[in-house]
Amino acid sequence: MALTVQFYTMVAMAAMGICLGAAVDTYGRFLPRQRTFRIHIALLDIAFWIVQALLVFYILFKTNQGDIRIYVFLALLCGYAAYQALFKGVYNWLVNLVITIVHAVFRFVWGLLKALIVMPIKWLLMSVRRFVMIIVISVWSIILYVLLKPLYWLMKKLGVVGLLKKGQPILRKWQERLERFRKKDER
């Protein structure tokens, strides 16, 4: 193997070590660890490491046709150590900044959609509901007036209305007694 190929392989594996460190921190940021075992988290961990191994092997295949030597692992380790020592703080700050910006943009877009689409539709539906209620109450009032007015006239002719008016003082006395009993029970 030529010396330039070995050099490119070492540089690529060191870069992959840095990328691996960044990927591990990003994965840990979006999927925090829990104290209890969860099967879906275990499956996600396995899938994450398979993807990382495939990426490393793909880069290795592109640089030196997939020859695995000891310096490949040393270069990966050196790249990961460089990430931990030099880039971890800046990268985590940058990830948090991107998350904050995306969250702010999402809140802005959601507020804009809410103001331009949701609120007008809500206002329109409430207006339609009020209009329908006005129509229903009006029709119901007309129906009751048409049905009850003749019934009231008939009851007045038969003398039932007069009896009901005479019975109102008795009804009021019973209501007052019930109120006194309720007040006694509350004490």
Side-chain angles (χ1 to χ4, degrees):
M1 183 181 309
L3 193 58
T4 56
V5 174
Q6 289 179 0
F7 178 73
Y8 289 147
T9 302
M10 286 185 66
V11 169
M13 288 301 108
M16 282 308 296
I18 292 171
C19 290
L20 187 65
V24 167
D25 278 349
T26 305
Y27 181 69
R29 175 69 170 88
F30 287 108
L31 190 71
R33 296 288 129 204
Q34 297 178 354
R35 296 188 185 270
T36 58
F37 177 77
R38 304 264 190 238
I39 189 72
H40 67 281
I41 292 177
L43 293 174
L44 283 173
D45 287 346
I46 291 170
F48 171 77
W49 285 110
I50 288 173
V51 167
Q52 295 306 313
L54 290 174
L55 284 173
V56 168
F57 186 73
Y58 176 75
I59 297 298
L60 186 63
F61 185 75
K62 285 294 190 181
T63 55
N64 70 354
Q65 285 73 38
D67 284 344
I68 297 177
R69 309 264 170 109
I70 190 71
Y71 66 85
V72 169
F73 295 111
L74 290 175
L76 273 171
L77 186 63
C78 286
Y80 185 76
Y83 169 78
Q84 290 292 326
L86 301 174
F87 305 119
K88 183 175 182 169
V90 173
Y91 180 76
N92 285 333
W93 176 79
L94 190 63
V95 166
N96 287 333
L97 179 68
V98 168
I99 290 171
T100 303
I101 289 171
V102 167
H103 184 68
V105 167
F106 178 75
R107 280 194 351 237
F108 174 74
V109 169
W110 174 249
L112 193 64
L113 287 175
K114 193 174 177 184
L116 295 177
I117 295 173
V118 174
M119 293 304 285
I121 290 173
K122 187 177 178 182
W123 178 82
L124 183 67
L125 290 175
M126 288 179 67
S127 299
V128 167
R129 180 180 165 254
R130 287 181 182 144
F131 182 71
V132 168
M133 288 305 293
I134 288 171
I135 291 173
V136 166
I137 289 173
S138 300
V139 168
W140 184 251
S141 298
I142 292 170
I143 289 172
L144 283 178
Y145 182 77
V146 167
L147 290 177
L148 291 180
K149 192 65 174 176
L151 185 64
Y152 180 76
W153 178 79
L154 181 64
M155 290 175 72
K156 193 173 184 182
K157 290 293 181 188
L158 293 175
V160 175
V161 174
L163 287 174
L164 289 175
K165 285 185 180 177
K166 288 180 184 175
Q168 282 182 349
I170 297 171
L171 182 63
R172 279 194 211 113
K173 285 182 184 178
W174 279 101
Q175 286 176 344
E176 290 172 4
R177 287 183 185 168
L178 284 174
E179 286 296 320
R180 279 189 261 154
F181 284 128
R182 285 184 193 152
K183 288 180 183 177
K184 285 181 184 178
D185 287 341
E186 289 176 2
R187 292 181 200 171

